[in-house]
Amino acid sequence: MNILLCPLSDGGYLYPAIAAGRELRRRGHQVGVLGRSAAAPVAAEAGLPFAAAEDFGGRRAFSAACWGTTGPAQYRATVRAARQAGADLLVTSVLCNGALLAAEALDIPVVVIGLSVHLWNYRTGGDDEPQLGRTRKNRTHACLELYTATREQAGLAGRRPRWPESPLLGDALLLRGDPVLECPGAVLPERVHHVGPLAWEPAADQAELAAVRAQVELSGKPVVYVHLGRFFGGGTPWPRLNATFTDGRFQAVVEQGRSTDPWPAPGADILLVRKPWMGPLIDLAGLVLTNGTSAPVLAALVRGRVLGVSPNGAEQPLLSGACLRAGVAAHIPRAVTPDPSGPLESAWQNDLLRERARELGHRLAAANNPVRAADVIERAAQRSATSRTREKHGYSVHRPGQGGRGEAVGGSATVDTAALGLS
């Protein structure tokens, strides 16, 4: 097959897609990456061909910060790039409405890589799930409304959707977590599959890592790795961080992530970094403090680290609640308290939390997840091919070297770009 990876270009979305793509390439498939031009060095390190979305009219189309407003541009860029590459299948991210619609317009399958928990309605169950943020029903409704609006802007409103009952899932949705993180008793939609973390990241620069190690050794205090996600109107965490890591027992290595305007206090035991990798930094730490986004949560768990969660908005309350329910995390208040380092101290000393984090981390690490993901992607392509007539499409899907001629999917789909407003 000829597979185009078109996830959001931010590391938390791009890296898991690359993990799956590298396994698919190992199996003999052709795999390329479409994304923002800034992602080109990452794709190059992964050994995958890269196409810049800007060259296809997709400026900012794969930015996580702009996902809600750039669907039409993402759609146009994905259609153009997929046609140029002769793509037979797309692999994209949750929230990529444009890529979903491009697959529909091109009549090719699309597999969606999700977060560590399911965002939308369960097939059944989950009615008694504690709501720390927006309800699943509310989140699902809002996402479907945006998908429908993007569909209209793409000129596809008059066509019957390929997945009318659950269009956000594509032909398959890959969850990077573990069933224990879902609400007990809930049943996931049938096209949703757990595949594990899909862990991959660029190699750490050894000189930069040595500098970080030297800095934390100067303090000698136990290290907490802090990964800041977007604030979503929840207010800056810096007053709490400064209070927690000033004249206390711990020091912090703070990855800015997608946050802005850092202001560590001059006397705080805080080392501020911005790196495209986090694994070696988590290895230095005994606990990970996060807003509750998938990348740091999964990276911490596979290393058996206890989590301190302090969610703001979007999916953060959902994942934080799942980690608290699974017994692998402690809640860290967002407000400054009289004993700001107390919650961290309590979590650090909690042997039961640490045992459960190691247990879940071992299960996640042992999942062999790129293999699972590639299996699901190949099955999605096979199901899609067999659901169409060979007279109409001429598809012939094989894993290279396993039966048949080992050819890529033939009969590349075409689309009238003028009719779809792409010319």
Side-chain angles (χ1 to χ4, degrees), residues 2-4 30 32 51 56 78-88 412:
N2 191 336
I3 299 167
L4 181 64
Q30 298 178 57
F56 297 91
T78 305
V79 168
R80 290 167 175 162
R83 292 191 71 207
Q84 179 171 299
D88 307 305
S412 223

Side-chain angles (χ1 to χ4, degrees), residues 50-203:
F50 180 80
E54 293 89 339
D55 294 341
F56 297 91
R59 180 177 175 271
R60 303 184 72 185
F62 292 93
S63 168
C66 305
W67 75 270
T69 60
T70 57
Q74 185 183 98
Y75 166 73
R76 292 190 294 270
T78 305
V79 168
R80 290 167 175 162
R83 292 191 71 207
Q84 179 171 299
D88 307 305
L89 180 143
L90 304 180
V91 177
T92 190
S93 308
V94 290
L95 311 179
C96 284
N97 291 323
L100 287 172
L101 295 168
E104 181 179 329
L106 295 166
D107 199 19
I108 59 177
V110 56
V111 174
V112 180
I113 297 180
L115 305 176
S116 47
V117 288
H118 187 56
L119 287 177
W120 302 303
N121 290 337
Y122 288 122
R123 180 162 44 157
T124 60
D127 298 330
D128 57 348
E129 181 179 31
Q131 301 299 331
L132 299 181
R134 301 173 68 178
T135 65
R136 286 184 182 274
K137 183 177 180 180
N138 178 278
R139 187 183 298 108
T140 303
H141 177 72
C143 288
L144 285 173
E145 277 196 328
L146 185 56
Y147 167 85
T148 300
T150 307
R151 198 165 189 273
E152 291 175 354
Q153 291 173 294
L156 299 176
R159 296 174 47 153
R160 182 179 183 274
R162 184 190 296 177
W163 320 277
E165 76 292 353
S166 50
L168 303 175
L169 307 181
D171 290 275
L173 174 71
L174 310 182
L175 287 182
R176 290 151 48 206
D178 182 272
V180 75
L181 296 177
E182 302 298 333
C183 183
V187 178
L188 291 165
E190 61 181 355
R191 299 201 305 275
V192 177
H193 310 266
H194 277 105
V195 299
L198 294 178
W200 182 88
E201 64 180 15

